[in-house]
């Protein structure tokens, strides 16, 4: 116990004293009935972008998969182990979630590393290989003329959401359920500094502010 972070022990005590009493019955109910979340969120590992916090979700409400830069690989049923694909398979085939939200965000370190090709992207490291699947063979990602570095980064952060949504459809079990109208795919983008949320209008291929599109009732 000595080496276990004190902040976590303190946090657990706060949870036990304040939150658990209000959610105890829900935890007991979920332990008996099992989980049945309607939404899967695929987000980034970034400590500032916690889906449960942003969407104010309680236990059992969100099935969350987080990885560097909220990326979904293409469907590759080979002999390798695929963590994201396994989570996706469970969410779609077992839990039968109705929605999958790919949640991108501002100031994404994974995207920044991808753009800067900085140290962690050396060939032997994991981040470089992980981020490499973001681009298609032969695809070139570069700053446009007259595009500021900030605008470029934001564009690529949002492109990661588009690419993940595109890759989701390469999974036969996802495509089947989407085509049958049993599953919907969504994109979102979180602005860390403002705590702002933008949702993807897939027809317009644009992210729109939730507060402007959907004023609170
Ligand atoms: Zn990130």
């Amino acid at each position: 116990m000595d080496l276990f972070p004190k902040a976590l022990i303190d946090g657990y005590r706060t949870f036990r004293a304040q939150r658990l009493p209000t959610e105890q019955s829900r935890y007991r109910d979920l332990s008996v009935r099992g989980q049945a979340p309607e939404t899967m969120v695929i987000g980034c590992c970034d400590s500032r972008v916690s889906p449960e916090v942003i969407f104010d979700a309680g236990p059992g409400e969100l099935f969350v998969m987080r990885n560097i830069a909220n990326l979904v690989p293409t469907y590759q049923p080979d002999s390798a182990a695929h963590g994201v694909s396994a989570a996706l398979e469970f969410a779609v085939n077992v839990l039968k979630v109705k929605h999958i939200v790919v949640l991108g965000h501002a100031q994404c370190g994974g995207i920044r590393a991808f753009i800067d090709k900085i140290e962690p992207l050396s060939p032997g490291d994991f981040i470089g290989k992980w981020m490499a699947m973001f681009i298609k063979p032969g695809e070139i990602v570069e700053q446009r003329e007259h595009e500021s570095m900030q605008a470029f980064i934001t564009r690529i952060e949002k492109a990661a959401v588009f690419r993940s949504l595109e890759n989701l459809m390469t999974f036969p079990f996802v495509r089947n359920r989407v085509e049958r109208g049993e599953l919907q795919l969504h994109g979102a983008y979180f602005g860390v500094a403002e705590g702002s949320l933008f949702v993807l209008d897939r027809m317009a291929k644009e992210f729109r502010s939730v507060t402007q599109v959907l004023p609170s009732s």
Side-chain angles (χ1 to χ4, degrees):
M1 286 283 281
D2 287 356
L3 297 174
F4 200 85
K6 185 176 178 302
L8 297 189
I9 298 289
D10 291 347
Y12 174 69
R13 287 190 174 130
T14 303
F15 161 77
R16 203 174 163 77
Q18 296 176 10
R19 190 163 169 174
L20 189 60
T22 66
E23 291 180 334
Q24 181 68 77
S25 63
R26 178 142 179 84
Y27 274 108
R28 282 202 215 289
D29 188 38
L30 285 167
S31 78
V32 175
R33 286 191 300 120
Q35 61 168 336
E38 292 195 349
T39 302
M40 176 184 196
V41 178
I42 297 169
C44 183
C45 297
D46 194 301
S47 59
R48 301 163 297 182
V49 190
S50 169
E52 293 89 342
V53 173
I54 294 169
F55 298 114
D56 192 29
E61 289 181 354
L62 296 179
F63 186 78
V64 176
M65 168 79 211
R66 295 173 74 170
N67 62 49
I68 297 293
N70 38 266
L71 297 182
V72 176
T74 54
Y75 178 66
Q76 292 163 32
D78 52 27
S79 58
H82 299 280
V84 177
S85 305
L88 189 59
E89 184 176 60
F90 188 73
V92 174
N93 286 346
V94 180
L95 298 175
K96 297 191 167 26
V97 295
K98 294 176 179 161
H99 303 273
I100 297 177
V101 176
V102 177
L103 177 63
H105 72 99
Q107 295 155 19
C108 183
I111 297 293
R112 185 76 210 202
F114 173 75
I115 286 173
D116 289 351
K117 310 265 187 303
I118 52 176
E119 266 310 297
L121 288 184
S122 58
D125 283 323
F126 292 102
I127 296 174
K129 283 178 189 156
W130 177 253
M131 292 304 298
M133 76 169 166
F134 169 59
I135 51 168
K136 290 177 176 172
E139 193 174 40
I140 294 167
V141 179
E142 58 189 12
Q143 198 170 353
R144 291 170 180 159
E145 222 178 309
H146 307 305
E147 185 178 45
S148 69
M149 181 47 92
Q150 186 52 56
F152 174 46
I153 291 168
T154 303
R155 179 166 65 84
I156 301 308
E157 285 164 351
K158 289 178 177 175
V161 176
F162 281 106
R163 182 54 46 86
S164 289
L165 289 169
E166 193 181 318
N167 288 352
L168 276 172
M169 288 296 273
T170 65
F171 288 76
F173 52 84
V174 171
R175 176 173 278 278
N176 286 343
R177 290 184 70 82
V178 167
E179 287 174 352
R180 288 205 299 263
E182 295 163 352
L183 172 63
Q184 289 179 24
L185 308 184
H186 312 274
Y189 181 83
F190 182 69
V192 173
E194 314 294 330
S196 50
L197 184 71
F198 301 83
V199 292
L200 179 62
D201 177 338
R202 296 192 71 187
M203 297 296 278
K205 296 194 172 184
E206 276 179 28
F207 285 85
R208 301 192 193 283
S209 166
V210 166
T211 49
Q212 283 165 22
V213 177
L214 304 165
S216 57
S217 52

